[in-house]
Amino acid sequence: MKEKQMPGDQPRKNMVFYRSEDAVSLDDDGMMSPPDITPAVYKTHDLSPMADGNKVTVLFKGDGPDGFSLVHSWFGANFQLPRHSHSADCLYYVLSGEISMGNRVMTAGDGFFVAQDAVYAYIAGPSGAEVLEFRSATSFDMKVADKTAEQWRPIIEAAVANHDAWVRQ
């Protein structure tokens, strides 16, 4: 039975479609506040090689702060994320490639859950990785736990070593 709609009522969205070709970058969308990287890291390292090692797009963003969101992340071979946390819970699903978290390797079909404010990091495998990120939030932050230039050294070294391969992909 269909409910009678009163004047001024907003129609309820029972179904919303999205297309990957319409996705915008996470940076352009503004869904995630910029990461809080310590100035000492910028003074010691050139972070620009990292930019070609990842592409993160917003596939779906629901209405309001508690709406669902879906983000697609592509990481090039051996891309290393710094240790970080987000202000929203997230459920991750590996689409392709592999990621390593410590001695745990996850491949296509595997996933993991990270509670808000829990610190984590992962490294994309030798063929890279594609990951879906599901959240019940349309806005969140990124707090970087790796604060020193020394903690960033292996991350930057991996970016420099793999940069040419990332650009060719």
Side-chain angles (χ1 to χ4, degrees):
M1 175 187 237
K2 188 174 180 179
E3 289 182 35
K4 183 177 177 184
Q5 191 168 347
M6 301 300 292
D9 284 353
Q10 293 292 323
R12 185 170 166 206
K13 297 178 185 177
N14 290 325
M15 197 172 297
V16 178
F17 298 91
Y18 60 90
R19 298 177 61 82
S20 62
E21 65 194 36
D22 298 329
V24 298
S25 76
L26 187 66
D27 291 339
D28 289 344
D29 180 85
M31 176 187 241
M32 184 178 80
S33 61
D36 63 340
I37 299 171
T38 308
V41 172
Y42 287 113
K43 290 177 185 173
T44 306
H45 300 292
D46 174 10
L47 302 184
S48 63
M50 293 184 69
D52 291 319
N54 71 100
K55 181 180 179 188
V56 182
T57 56
V58 178
L59 295 173
F60 177 80
K61 183 177 176 181
D63 295 328
D66 296 327
F68 281 99
S69 62
L70 177 59
V71 170
H72 174 266
S73 297
W74 169 87
F75 297 103
N78 306 307
F79 186 90
Q80 295 187 26
L81 281 83
R83 291 178 319 116
H84 67 284
S85 65
H86 297 290
S87 58
D89 293 346
C90 190
L91 183 63
Y92 294 83
Y93 180 82
V94 180
L95 280 174
S96 66
E98 67 181 42
I99 60 172
S100 298
M101 296 177 82
N103 62 2
R104 183 181 303 262
V105 176
M106 287 165 278
T107 60
D110 297 337
F112 57 101
F113 172 81
V114 178
Q116 78 177 46
D117 299 322
V119 177
Y120 72 104
Y122 58 83
I123 300 171
S127 298
E130 285 186 88
V131 179
L132 290 176
E133 304 176 11
F134 301 87
R135 289 185 178 84
S136 59
T138 56
S139 178
F140 58 94
D141 68 10
M142 180 177 180
K143 295 179 182 156
V144 177
D146 287 335
K147 300 288 186 191
T148 68
E150 190 57 35
Q151 289 172 312
W152 276 80
R153 185 173 314 288
I155 298 167
I156 300 304
E157 287 173 351
V160 170
N162 292 282
H163 184 261
D164 289 346
W166 296 342
V167 172
R168 285 193 303 267
Q169 288 184 333

